[in-house]
Amino acid sequence: MRLDNQLWESKYHEAVERLTREEAQWRIAESLLRQLVGCLGRVAHGAHDQVDPHIERLSTALSGPMEPLALEPLVSDLADAIDGLGARPRGVNDERSIPITRPHRTEHGSSVQSSLSRLVDRIVILPRLADRANDLRHDVADAGDLVALAACGDRLADLINEQRIGLQREIDALQAVLRHVTGRLDEMSQYMSRELADQSTGEANGQALDASVAHEMRLLGEAALEIDDMHELRERVNQSLETISLCFRDFRDREGIRLTAYRERAERMRLRIEQLETERNTLQRSLEREHELAQTDTMIGMPNRLAYEKRIEAAYESWQATMRPLSIAAIDIDHFKSINDTYGHTAGDAVLRIIGQALLKHIRPCDFVARYGGEEFIVIFDGADEVESLQVCERLRGKIQHLAFHASRQPVRVTASIGLTQFQPGDTPQSVFDRADLALYTAKNGGRNRCVVG
């Protein structure tokens, strides 16, 4: 009976633990579903007047405790309203695009368009796909409805898939190179094995010669003791010398053949090594070029986000070891979307190029600047504290403000906002970047064209 109680008690605890885990999972799922419904509601709101009240009531209900009895009629009413949209008279286009005309969208808002745009900016694209990514970025900015944005989303998925395939091809190519190098190393290993075997053969030939000569010399010595007739002794000496001469000739012949084969193998290996050295140099230059392209923003001609991430990791490790001052600044061009919308993307690209080159020119030699994505740049101030970094940021902001831009024969005023922060004990590169980004948003909200320390 006691064993039965222990068994049931064990099963009870297991069931409680399972239910606890399932409850936690459902809470996570509930939170995600709330977020999903909220996002979809914000996207759809404003598309149809007859649906908006139902969306608003459902969003209000989801902000509190989820009561199924209360939610069921709201969901049912929303479904009926949506079905009613489908019962339009014939001749009305059923696939009407939903305009993106939400009044509360801001420059850094959470709209679908800005989110998709930031997603395109944040993805590190292979150099050969950079032009397509730039075209996609422009099309996202120009998208006027959800259908166009959906098409951009499909293109982004295609771009990511193609990048994944491209990376796999590069991996396959590197594996082929490794197989090729492995084959060459196998050849060298076989060559060394043959040389060792050949050396052993040479040693065996020398030992055989020594043994033959020693044998003949021993026989000659014995004959000298046993034979009294000088003529017979002379004959015996001549025979031994002839035998020893034959041993030396045979040894020289074998050694000549062995040395000839060695020279041929050595020449072939020399040519193989020269070829391998040429291939290695070519591969090294190609890898260096690919590495450089992968870390370069080809449109502006400056380091990109990948280069920044590598540089900040190295700077972070150095800072941890030395605690030498280290700061970063996030720089964002003010009203850049308006420049694109008013003057076109060609003018916007020109602004990015000119500002990027200006930043490269006016930072300190020990600093590092990269295009982080879109209209955002980032600077690493190595060895500079907050005060010194702020002075450089103010100088950069002033240089940008006084750059001369013209589009359609009209002067265009361009400014930038900057968020600056310094590494503190316990910081990581990501936490410092988030703090600089927050300071940048503070500068934006404070009127733009200013530097804010976070």
Side-chain angles (χ1 to χ4, degrees), residues 409-451:
R409 298 181 179 180
Q410 297 180 5
V412 180
R413 184 173 183 267
V414 177
T415 61
S417 300
I418 303 177
L420 171 68
T421 191
Q422 182 177 344
F423 275 74
Q424 302 295 337
D427 275 339
T428 65
Q430 185 59 48
S431 66
V432 174
F433 175 81
D434 292 340
R435 201 160 62 240
D437 210 34
L438 182 60
L440 170 62
Y441 289 159
T442 303
K444 292 282 188 181
N445 294 330
R448 296 180 173 82
N449 192 25
R450 64 190 62 207
C451 300

Side-chain angles (χ1 to χ4, degrees), residues 252-264:
R252 284 197 302 270
D253 290 342
R254 290 197 302 269
E255 282 298 291
I257 294 173
R258 189 175 68 85
L259 289 175
T260 299
Y262 165 75
R263 291 189 186 98
E264 291 175 353

Side-chain angles (χ1 to χ4, degrees), residues 21-33:
R21 288 194 301 270
E22 291 178 354
E23 182 182 5
Q25 292 172 354
W26 280 111
R27 284 179 178 173
I28 295 173
E30 177 187 340
S31 176
L32 292 174
L33 287 173

Side-chain angles (χ1 to χ4, degrees), residues 127-128 130-131 293 296-302 304 353 371:
R128 64 183 181 83
D131 291 339
L293 286 175
T296 302
D297 186 289
T298 54
M299 187 185 78
I300 300 179
M302 69 185 305
N304 61 9
R353 281 193 293 269
R371 183 189 180 192

Side-chain angles (χ1 to χ4, degrees), residues 129 132 151-165:
L129 300 176
R132 286 179 55 186
C152 291
D154 291 339
R155 288 171 56 194
L156 176 59
D158 293 340
L159 192 65
I160 293 173
N161 287 333
E162 187 168 344
Q163 171 150 300
R164 178 184 59 80
I165 293 172

Side-chain angles (χ1 to χ4, degrees), residues 46 62 80 90 95 104 120 155 161 167 193 201 214 239 256 295 303 336 366 369 420:
L62 287 174
D80 292 339
R90 291 185 179 180
E95 297 181 355
H104 300 293
V120 175
R155 288 171 56 194
N161 287 333
L167 290 173
S193 298
T201 301
Q239 290 177 1
Q295 299 188 62
F336 184 72
C366 58
V369 62
L420 171 68

Side-chain angles (χ1 to χ4, degrees), residues 165-179:
I165 293 172
L167 290 173
Q168 186 59 51
R169 286 173 180 164
E170 291 186 2
I171 292 172
D172 293 341
L174 286 176
Q175 289 176 342
V177 170
L178 289 176
R179 287 193 296 270

